[in-house]
Amino acid sequence: MTPDRILKVKIGLSQAVLTSLLENESAEIEKSLESKNYAILDSGAELNVSGRREDFHHIATKPTVCLNGVDGQVNDGKPVAYVGMFKDNNLGIGKAVWYPKLGTERIISTNCLIKDGWRILQSKNDSVLRRPGSKIVRIDERGKLPRV
């Protein structure tokens, strides 16, 4: 991808949910943020997004990614996020975007996980991510949004 190319992607979270996440309104989210070791799974996201610069070993120098939430365009459709590459991680995800205004949150696209060979197995009492040749990653569904 060339640095000057504008990439428009959508994330499945509504602007209200993003605002809630960014403002850390609920005690549950605040408690979870203390660990800093989780990401929200989003079935509506087209790309993996993180607000944490330290998650990346490379980030483009200027924003080329436009974001759309359920409620519409972020920043009037102007580029707000930077193409980057995640550091090694337990899901083997490489390409992602850095959106600084996301704060300490991470959004992982279930569509990207499936394209990368992961299977999402959900049941009433135990949901997991599984990829042949990899370990099983448990999905935490105790909160309002599923997390890994």
Side-chain angles (χ1 to χ4, degrees):
M1 177 178 303
T2 63
D4 293 334
R5 183 174 167 207
I6 303 299
L7 178 64
K8 295 187 178 192
V9 299
K10 67 179 178 181
I11 51 179
L13 299 177
S14 69
Q15 192 65 38
V17 171
L18 279 173
T19 300
S20 174
L21 290 171
L22 294 174
E23 293 176 355
N24 302 327
E25 291 176 350
S26 76
E28 182 176 333
I29 290 174
E30 286 182 29
K31 182 179 177 186
S32 295
L33 286 175
E34 291 172 10
S35 74
K36 295 187 179 186
N37 288 325
Y38 77 93
I40 295 168
L41 289 176
D42 187 348
S43 61
E46 294 177 352
L47 288 177
N48 302 303
V49 184
S50 176
R52 300 177 188 176
R53 191 167 197 339
E54 67 270 16
D55 284 349
F56 296 86
H57 68 78
H58 171 77
I59 297 175
T61 57
K62 70 179 193 174
T64 57
V65 181
C66 302
L67 297 177
N68 289 308
V70 172
D71 298 338
Q73 297 176 334
V74 175
N75 194 36
D76 296 323
K78 297 174 188 156
V80 294
Y82 303 74
V83 173
M85 291 297 290
F86 274 150
K87 292 178 181 175
D88 289 340
N89 57 76
N90 67 331
L91 297 175
I93 298 170
K95 187 176 178 181
V97 297
W98 176 49
Y99 178 44
K101 290 188 178 182
L102 199 56
T104 59
E105 299 294 335
R106 296 177 183 117
I107 298 172
I108 301 300
S109 165
T110 56
N111 295 319
C112 289
L113 289 174
I114 291 167
K115 287 177 186 173
D116 286 344
W118 286 93
R119 291 183 54 198
I120 301 168
L121 307 168
Q122 293 181 294
S123 67
K124 185 176 180 179
N125 299 320
D126 190 31
S127 297
V128 297
L129 294 173
R130 184 177 197 172
R131 183 166 67 178
S134 281
K135 64 181 180 179
I136 293 174
V137 177
R138 300 231 176 269
I139 299 172
D140 181 355
E141 296 187 272
R142 291 175 289 176
K144 293 179 182 178
L145 299 168
R147 299 176 290 196
V148 293

